[in-house]
Amino acid sequence: MISRRRFLHTTLGAVIAPGLADAGTPGSFRFILLGDLHYDKLDHHDFNWLDAHHPGDHSQIKNYSRLTAEVMPGMFAALKQTVVRCGAKFVLQVGDLVEGLCGSEALSVRQNREALEFIGEAELGVPFLFTKGNHDVTGDGADAAFDHVLLPFMQQQSRLVDAGSAHARACCSLTHEDTQFAFFDAYATDSLEWLEATAAKRTAARLFVTVHPPVVPYGARATWHVFSSEKSASKRVKLLDILGKHEAIVLGGHLHKFAALTRAAGGGRFTQLAVSSVVSALTERPRDVLHGPAAYTGEQVSLEPQHSPATIDTRRAIYDEERKHVSSFEYANSAGFAVVTVSGDRVVADIHSGSRAEAFQTVRLAG
């Protein structure tokens, strides 16, 4: 029987101290990791367009708009305090900054600009980096609005971290201290070739790859990962090989859950950390906690019993294959943020639920 206190600071097979105690090494640094946000307001949407194209999304738009107004300001106030408390160098958000589904380029531009205004007014005091999520480019005119509003902001914020970064598109690489960050555009056709070339030229000691959907499936939605279709199977193998060869640390979101795991590939292994920042209450606590590689099974499909009942057997089969390669696993239905500490060979992440200052779990990502 493992004690609750030991569990809260255990993952990847090791008991470790919280990450915030580990940043004294020269060249060490911290950053805040945010999951999906889905910034939204009701007046960002053409509801006639929504009725015609996405009639089932009314309820989620109403909910995200409510959370944007009622919860997100408190969440960002807590993040501002956390930046000061831990000395974070930047905030990194894993995509779906906005809800999208606006219905026109003009409304999408408005949504994007108001989201960036909100971030500016939060006065976090550090650069705000992010990658492209599917909602950021969903809806008529959303692609153009992304390129017109969000991409220039991404370029400007990246250069605040690395003045030499080249960021003419959503695929971007920048270096901080001895760590390279590669931002992978999961919705562009040539991103895999870009990542392969970028990783091959790497001179930094470690590589983070930020991609919105998971690389390795977890939770109930086992088909919601990058290159999940049969026709993309060879691309997935190539991606896994690149990540394993470089012992990368993958950062992502998309499923609105916390998960951390280690997977063998490419003659090595890589770790994956996913977080959600769709916070329903600042005081929320993690639920449906799973711990250890023995929990990485097809039984994960039961976490969301109403999700796609017709694909249960398919999703279970995916886990039967994937579990052969997964050596560690942590999961919780939790939304909040993470504080990632890079210190020498060690990389750890303190996982926070809601806006709570105390982490509910610390995961070791490297070292």
Side-chain angles (χ1 to χ4, degrees), residues 59-334:
S59 60
Q60 75 173 29
I61 286 170
K62 290 179 180 178
N63 185 51
Y64 289 143
S65 296
R66 180 184 64 82
L67 295 180
T68 296
E70 298 178 5
V71 182
M72 201 176 292
M75 185 68 189
F76 269 70
L79 291 174
K80 181 178 180 178
Q81 294 176 353
T82 303
V83 167
V84 174
R85 176 172 61 89
C86 75
K89 298 301 182 181
F90 52 86
V91 173
L92 194 161
Q93 195 267 336
V94 300
D96 283 3
L97 175 65
V98 297
E99 167 64 354
L101 295 168
C102 297
S104 70
E105 182 178 346
L107 286 171
S108 296
V109 165
R110 177 181 175 184
Q111 184 179 71
N112 292 349
R113 284 178 173 164
E114 291 187 9
L116 297 184
E117 287 171 3
F118 173 84
I119 292 167
E121 290 168 358
E123 297 182 333
L124 297 177
V126 292
F128 190 97
L129 310 175
F130 59 95
T131 198
K132 183 193 287 183
N134 59 303
H135 277 262
D136 299 322
V137 290
T138 297
D140 290 355
D143 278 303
F146 182 93
D147 291 344
H148 182 62
V149 180
L150 295 184
L151 184 58
F153 181 81
M154 294 168 74
Q155 294 168 339
Q156 184 258 348
Q157 295 293 297
S158 295
R159 293 186 184 118
L160 293 176
V161 176
D162 177 4
S165 65
H167 198 334
R169 43 177 291 187
C171 281
C172 165
S173 176
L174 63 87
T175 301
H176 182 72
E177 297 294 347
D178 203 14
T179 299
Q180 184 174 8
F181 292 84
F183 293 81
F184 185 95
D185 181 353
Y187 311 100
T189 58
D190 61 346
S191 295
L192 184 58
E193 289 73 20
W194 172 86
L195 180 63
E196 182 179 33
T198 298
K201 295 183 291 185
R202 175 172 69 98
T203 59
R206 66 189 61 81
L207 174 66
F208 283 88
V209 176
T210 304
V211 53
H212 180 63
V215 173
V216 184
Y218 61 88
R221 307 190 178 209
T223 58
W224 286 28
H225 56 277
V226 180
F227 302 134
S228 60
S229 67
E230 289 187 16
K231 66 180 181 180
S232 300
S234 62
K235 291 184 176 182
R236 183 166 192 270
V237 170
K238 186 175 182 179
L239 175 59
L240 292 171
D241 285 348
I242 293 169
L243 297 174
K245 177 182 177 181
H246 290 272
E247 297 187 340
I249 299 172
V250 178
L251 306 175
H254 191 50
L255 303 188
H256 297 193
K257 304 290 188 291
F258 154 71
L261 56 82
T262 304
R263 191 196 193 279
R269 64 178 191 171
F270 65 93
T271 56
Q272 175 179 278
L273 172 63
V275 296
S276 170
S277 297
V278 182
V279 176
S280 59
L282 298 179
T283 56
E284 72 172 66
R285 296 182 180 276
R287 309 180 304 280
D288 300 332
V289 175
L290 299 178
H291 171 61
Y296 190 87
T297 72
E299 288 304 307
Q300 292 180 75
V301 302
S302 64
L303 293 167
E304 297 180 55
Q306 303 304 315
H307 173 68
S308 187
T311 66
I312 286 178
D313 291 342
T314 299
R315 289 180 283 138
R316 286 184 180 276
I318 289 172
Y319 284 122
D320 287 342
E321 180 58 34
E322 280 295 306
R323 68 181 303 193
K324 301 173 186 177
H325 310 286
V326 172
S327 58
S328 68
F329 180 56
E330 306 292 327
Y331 172 94
N333 184 352
S334 177

